[in-house]
Amino acid sequence: MNLLAIESSCDETSAAVMVNGELRSNIVSTQLIHTQWGGVVPELASRAHQKSIIPVVHEALQKANINKNELNAIAFTRGPGLLGALLIGTSFAKALALSLDIPLIEVNHMEAHVLAHFIEDPKPSFPFLCLTVSGGHTQLVWVKSPLEMEVIGETQDDAVGEAFDKTAKLIGLPYPGGPMIDKLAKEGNPHRFPFPLGEMPGLDFSFSGIKTAILYFLQKEQKNNPQFIEENKADICASVQKTLIDMLLRKVKKAMKEKNCQQIAIAGGVAANSGLRNGIQELGAQQNWDVFIPAFSYCTDNAGMIAMAGHFKAEAGIFCGQDVSPLPRMDMK
């Protein structure tokens, strides 16, 4: 099975080639144009995908040493994501599959993040719990099999990635702010500024309250000292990061107890955060859990994880027709 995978849900154009479950190439083109606007501009993202998708696919095939005529199927991100961005990847996948007379495989982007754990060893065994954290999603997923996942907890407002990015904006850091907060947090005191830990019923999350608390805190301190942010930037980043990670890990601990589970995985762009990676490993050591963390390159959006999800669907004989269209809001099945 020679499988081409395409990812275009947000601001990365990516293509990957998987041969019999082994990833042969994973090419990612990140759009830098959004930096000047402080966030992803959907129309600009769509145009950048249009420019990048052919050279990115060409490079993926070339690196894998696979000719397009040797492909057996094409997997693509159907959703969730930006409609215009998804439309580019979906349309390209449909056109190429039609021209080669090979089947299509639709992939849920969030399910693919979970299945990124199966690209390389070590791999979790089923069932396991996965904390999926990104700029648009914060979910606790009970993973029963590659094709059966259940969201048992999720954010009721903002995602944790948004909380990182919006905090970064408040303290004058460039977009994307999450990685900048992570970098500065390593130099700061995480206990310097205590912030309230928002609480939600059950296993759900809420990050709107902590964002407001950070905003009011900064406004109050700047009234007394206009240079407060510049003088305390590292400590602010460390304190905010600790608070957000504590909120995540508190729910993880609760979910693991409810499910009587000993395997925890993290996935998504925020899974690249060093504070979260260290925090989940420390909690795992305390609780005697098996902890699974993907390589950095499989945390952020990439077609390798789309290929992995497509591989499992192909094995099960699950394909889709040419009448498929993007779903900006796509739930896990």
Side-chain angles (χ1 to χ4, degrees):
M1 167 64 77
N2 296 330
L3 179 68
L4 172 67
I6 293 167
E7 154 62 24
S8 68
S9 63
C10 191
D11 61 339
E12 267 98 13
T13 312
S14 183
V17 174
M18 181 167 276
V19 178
N20 297 326
E22 179 190 340
L23 194 62
R24 295 284 181 87
S25 65
N26 188 27
I27 308 301
V28 181
S29 173
T30 301
Q31 301 171 6
L32 302 177
I33 192 170
H34 306 289
T35 305
Q36 61 186 295
W37 303 106
V40 177
V41 181
E43 176 63 22
L44 295 179
S46 302
R47 294 183 185 204
H49 283 305
Q50 271 188 307
K51 291 178 182 177
S52 300
I53 194 161
I54 291 175
V56 165
V57 169
H58 177 73
E59 188 178 345
L61 290 168
Q62 203 170 40
K63 188 174 180 182
N65 198 26
I66 294 286
N67 185 283
K68 68 177 185 294
N69 294 311
E70 297 177 280
L71 294 173
N72 302 113
I74 299 175
F76 66 97
T77 303
R78 187 182 182 192
L82 301 173
L83 178 57
L86 291 167
L87 194 59
I88 304 299
T90 303
S91 300
F92 184 90
K94 288 168 67 174
L96 186 57
L98 187 65
S99 69
L100 296 173
D101 193 26
I102 57 177
L104 285 164
I105 304 168
E106 63 172 81
V107 171
N108 181 303
H109 181 84
M110 299 311 296
E111 291 176 2
H113 269 305
V114 175
L115 296 174
H117 287 280
F118 295 88
I119 297 173
E120 294 178 349
D121 290 328
K123 301 168 185 173
S125 56
F126 299 102
F128 65 93
L129 183 73
C130 186
L131 172 68
T132 310
V133 278
S134 67
H137 295 81
T138 303
Q139 297 176 331
L140 282 167
V141 184
W142 183 238
V143 189
K144 303 172 189 177
S145 77
L147 303 175
E148 191 178 2
M149 303 182 197
E150 178 190 358
V151 177
I152 60 172
E154 61 187 330
T155 182
Q156 296 302 297
D157 39 61
D158 296 323
V160 69
E162 288 176 281
F164 273 111
D165 286 339
K166 288 177 182 177
T167 299
K169 199 168 186 178
L170 289 173
I171 60 177
L173 296 177
Y175 177 86
M180 294 294 293
I181 287 182
D182 189 18
K183 184 179 178 182
L184 285 168
K186 294 172 184 175
E187 304 165 12
N189 176 5
H191 304 284
R192 175 90 186 278
F193 304 115
F195 293 104
L197 293 173
E199 184 55 81
M200 287 289 287
L203 299 175
D204 287 333
F205 302 89
S206 171
F207 296 99
S208 60
I210 180 64
K211 281 195 324 180
T212 304
I214 294 164
L215 172 64
Y216 289 164
F217 166 77
L218 293 175
Q219 288 175 341
K220 179 184 174 184
E221 294 295 336
Q222 280 186 292
K223 280 183 182 177
N224 301 325
N225 175 13
Q227 299 302 311
F228 176 79
I229 290 176
E230 281 305 312
E231 292 172 3
N232 299 278
K233 196 167 279 186
D235 288 347
I236 294 169
C237 289
S239 299
V240 168
Q241 179 161 292
K242 179 186 183 301
T243 303
L244 293 174
I245 290 169
D246 285 349
M247 291 170 72
L248 292 172
L249 295 183
R250 188 169 60 173
K251 294 291 186 175
V252 165
K253 190 174 179 180
K254 186 175 182 180
M256 291 289 279
K257 186 176 180 181
E258 284 188 16
K259 288 295 185 180
N260 192 26
C261 179
Q262 292 300 116
Q263 293 185 109
I264 178 66
I266 59 172
V270 181
N273 179 280
S274 64
L276 178 57
R277 293 167 88 92
N278 293 335
I280 197 77
Q281 286 177 322
E282 288 170 12
L283 182 60
Q286 291 169 15
Q287 301 293 322
N288 200 28
W289 297 337
D290 293 325
V291 179
F292 298 89
I293 302 174
F296 285 107
S297 58
Y298 302 133
C299 290
T300 51
D301 292 350
N302 69 94
M305 66 184 196
I306 306 301
M308 193 73 254
H311 169 76
F312 284 120
K313 281 196 162 186
E315 279 191 328
I318 302 172
F319 301 96
C320 66
Q322 282 284 336
D323 58 343
V324 68
S325 59
L327 283 178
R329 294 174 180 266
M330 187 177 183
D331 295 328
M332 286 189 180
K333 294 177 181 177

